[in-house]
Amino acid sequence: MTQLVDHSVVDQRASEPVRPTSAAALARAQRQQTAGRRAGLAAVVKAYVSLTKPRIIELLLITTVPVMFLAKGGLPNLWLVLVVLVGGSLAAGAANALNCYIDRDIDQVMKRTSRRPLATHTVSPRSALVFGLTLAAVSTVLMATFTNLLATLLTVGAIAYYDLVYTLWLKRTTPQNTVWGGACGAAPVLIGWAAVTGGLSWPAWVLFAVVFLWQPPHFYALAIKFKADYARAGIPMLPVVASMRRVGLETVVYSWLTVAASVALWPLGMTPLYGVVAIVTGAMLLVESHRLYNRARREEPLKPMRLFHWSVTYLTLLFVAIAVDALLH
């Protein structure tokens, strides 16, 4: 069957002149294209930044800088503070990015982490691994160049402990993962002290104990909130494998130990200002911990995020008091 074509129409259309696009339309199209590229680049940058878990980094830095003030007995060298801040941020970002790489299987299962870049395939596993290792290398070089050997080794050790000991082993095998995993979270205290003094003394170890013992109440509260998530992923967090009464009891015990460690710093050269802050803020931490435990005993809703948020406030106020105390000296 032959298709009939009106050649007069074809010829007429072919002979019509091509109308050039207006300058305004061309400029508008170029702006849209540029905006699209910028939006794409911004999304990629945002994804890589989220791999470093900036909110966790902020909490680590809250403990590092005041310790440097205390180690110096006043205002430390600002260049050294900047180096430790940048190097510590890169190290923590490296550890967190590598954590995301290792935990990419469970992050897809848990609702709380299902929007992380690897879970949503915004960043490939290989890219995340390279990114994490690069940050680790840069932070190591920075610390080795501008601080000292002890601070550098502690930095490298903290990254290795968090990813190889905690993430790969403790987190997936024992309900005590939160307790023993606290060593890497408390490491910035030792790093800051070592960067200033080149060694470690009793106040540094006491402050390490404060942060180490503070982490179980802090993370137990979060684990209670996301208990179903951890259970779905097969992670044996204490709230998943034990009764809420047991979790509440351990929360109270570690809260008391935290406050005791913070008060133990007072006679090691601190002023009454620090002592008052340690006692008052510690009392509030104990109140919230006992409230959670009492609700667990009565089998009432636990409201764990009250303790979670106050624990952050507690640690912040305590370490601000340390910095102010050091400046008062």
Side-chain angles (χ1 to χ4, degrees):
M1 190 173 182
T2 304
Q3 184 177 10
L4 300 178
V5 179
D6 189 345
H7 291 283
S8 63
V9 175
V10 172
D11 294 339
Q12 182 180 357
R13 287 176 180 172
S15 62
E16 288 179 355
V18 177
R19 295 194 178 111
T21 304
S22 68
L26 185 59
R28 186 165 54 250
Q30 289 175 338
R31 285 196 299 271
Q32 291 173 346
Q33 188 178 27
T34 302
R37 284 198 298 267
R38 288 177 178 172
L41 178 60
V44 171
V45 171
K46 182 179 179 180
Y48 276 96
V49 169
S50 68
L51 282 176
T52 66
K53 303 179 185 178
R55 294 181 68 180
I56 295 179
I57 294 176
E58 290 174 8
L59 194 58
L60 295 176
L61 296 181
I62 284 172
T63 63
T64 305
V65 176
V67 167
M68 296 181 72
F69 278 63
L70 184 61
K72 182 64 177 179
L75 188 66
N77 182 284
L78 295 181
W79 168 249
L80 182 62
V81 173
L82 179 62
V83 168
V84 172
L85 283 175
V86 174
S89 297
L90 292 175
N96 290 330
L98 294 172
N99 168 267
C100 288
Y101 170 78
I102 296 168
D103 277 351
R104 63 190 184 280
D105 57 334
I106 62 175
D107 280 350
Q108 297 183 69
V109 178
M110 297 175 62
K111 290 182 180 179
R112 183 173 69 90
T113 58
S114 61
R115 300 188 67 179
R116 287 180 177 172
L118 287 174
T120 59
H121 307 291
T122 307
V123 177
S124 71
R126 183 178 182 276
S127 297
L129 177 61
V130 172
F131 178 63
L133 292 174
T134 300
L135 290 182
V138 173
S139 67
T140 302
V141 171
L142 189 64
M143 295 296 287
T145 303
F146 297 106
T147 62
N148 53 62
L149 179 61
L150 180 57
T152 304
L153 291 177
L154 288 169
T155 301
V156 174
I159 297 172
Y161 189 96
Y162 183 67
D163 291 313
L164 301 180
V165 178
Y166 171 72
T167 306
L168 273 176
W169 176 37
L170 294 173
K171 183 176 182 178
R172 299 175 184 241
T173 58
T174 173
Q176 295 302 309
N177 50 21
T178 299
V179 177
W180 298 112
C184 46
V189 169
L190 301 182
I191 294 169
W193 192 282
V196 173
T197 67
L200 297 172
S201 57
W202 276 113
W205 288 111
V206 171
L207 287 169
F208 175 88
V210 170
V211 182
F212 178 83
L213 296 167
W214 165 86
Q215 288 181 91
H218 176 69
F219 285 108
Y220 282 162
L222 191 67
I224 292 170
K225 172 71 174 179
F226 296 102
K227 174 184 174 181
D229 255 4
Y230 285 114
R232 191 181 302 112
I235 302 300
M237 304 296 282
L238 189 66
V240 175
V241 301
S243 67
M244 289 300 103
R245 186 167 182 167
R246 162 75 182 279
V247 177
L249 179 60
E250 286 205 21
T251 299
V252 167
V253 169
Y254 281 111
S255 295
W256 273 99
L257 291 173
T258 300
V259 175
S262 69
V263 174
L265 183 65
W266 189 358
L268 298 179
M270 307 300 289
T271 69
L273 169 67
Y274 169 80
V276 170
V277 172
I279 291 172
V280 172
T281 57
M284 292 301 298
L285 179 67
L286 293 175
V287 166
E288 287 299 331
S289 297
H290 279 276
R291 280 178 177 170
L292 186 144
Y293 179 46
N294 290 333
R295 291 190 192 103
R297 288 171 53 194
R298 295 192 297 264
E299 298 184 353
E300 298 175 355
L302 298 185
K303 301 179 181 179
M305 297 310 286
R306 286 186 53 163
L307 173 59
F308 177 82
H309 291 304
W310 172 251
S311 67
V312 175
T313 303
Y314 163 78
L315 197 70
T316 303
L317 293 176
L318 186 71
F319 276 81
V320 167
I322 290 171
V324 173
D325 194 284
L327 290 174
L328 289 177
H329 274 82

